[in-house]
Amino acid sequence: VTWSIPERGDVIVFIEPLKNSEDWIKRVVALPGDRVKFDFASRQLSLKRKGDTQFRPVPRKRLAEPCSYMDKNEKLGEDWHPGRPCEFYEETLDGRTIQVVYDMVPRQLPMGFPHEWQVPEGCVFVMGDNRDNSEYSRF
């Protein structure tokens, strides 16, 4: 089997890296040598691709459809974040348009939590499409 390097926008499946306890399904948003910036207030993802001199926001459009979490938590058997407001967006990565969801009430992050990351060689930066309810490369 020959494996290829994933591209921006690809969905990949891998074993959760800290506990090796479950499969994670995430989207590749940055490649080795890229820099990633995420503005937590505006929910804007920006990339400085390897060789570029400046960050460019990932193009996005807010979708008008209503959004509210009412999913079941299979482990607890109850609703999680019931009725918590959220927003749907379409983001475009290298010509691929994907739908993502952002909480209107995001999780609290510790003081000094980074908002910019450098992607090391041999690695990719991944994010879940459910951005605020997903562990991924920023953690």
Side-chain angles (χ1 to χ4, degrees):
V1 175
T2 302
W3 297 95
S4 62
I5 296 173
E7 298 176 13
R8 286 181 204 86
D10 283 353
V11 173
I12 61 173
V13 179
F14 57 97
I15 295 174
E16 182 271 328
L18 299 176
K19 300 177 196 147
N20 294 320
S21 61
E22 60 189 15
D23 292 338
W24 278 6
I25 302 168
K26 305 293 176 190
R27 188 170 305 276
V28 175
V29 297
L31 302 175
D34 289 350
R35 292 191 68 80
V36 178
K37 185 169 28 173
F38 187 75
D39 182 318
F40 290 97
S42 69
R43 302 295 200 274
Q44 180 62 59
L45 174 65
S46 298
L47 298 176
K48 182 163 61 170
R49 297 162 189 258
K50 185 176 183 175
D52 283 357
T53 58
Q54 62 184 358
F55 278 96
R56 294 172 202 245
V58 170
R60 69 182 190 162
K61 174 179 79 171
R62 184 166 180 239
L63 301 176
E65 61 191 273
C67 179
S68 178
Y69 289 111
M70 293 302 288
D71 293 332
K72 290 284 186 184
N73 181 320
E74 297 300 324
K75 293 179 184 169
L76 300 177
E78 60 189 35
D79 289 339
W80 58 279
H81 304 306
R84 176 180 257 174
C86 51
E87 293 179 338
F88 284 117
Y89 284 85
E90 281 185 348
E91 291 182 347
T92 304
L93 281 169
D94 290 0
R96 295 177 173 181
T97 301
I98 57 170
Q99 286 192 2
V100 298
V101 63
Y102 288 103
D103 261 357
M104 295 303 296
V105 184
R107 73 168 72 177
Q108 295 297 315
L109 298 171
M111 255 332 225
F113 190 83
H115 66 278
E116 191 175 314
W117 301 267
Q118 172 77 44
V119 183
E121 289 301 317
C123 297
V124 294
F125 192 97
V126 298
M127 296 180 87
D129 288 349
N130 185 346
R131 299 283 166 85
D132 294 310
N133 286 299
S134 178
E135 298 274 326
Y136 49 81
S137 294
R138 70 179 176 167
F139 296 102

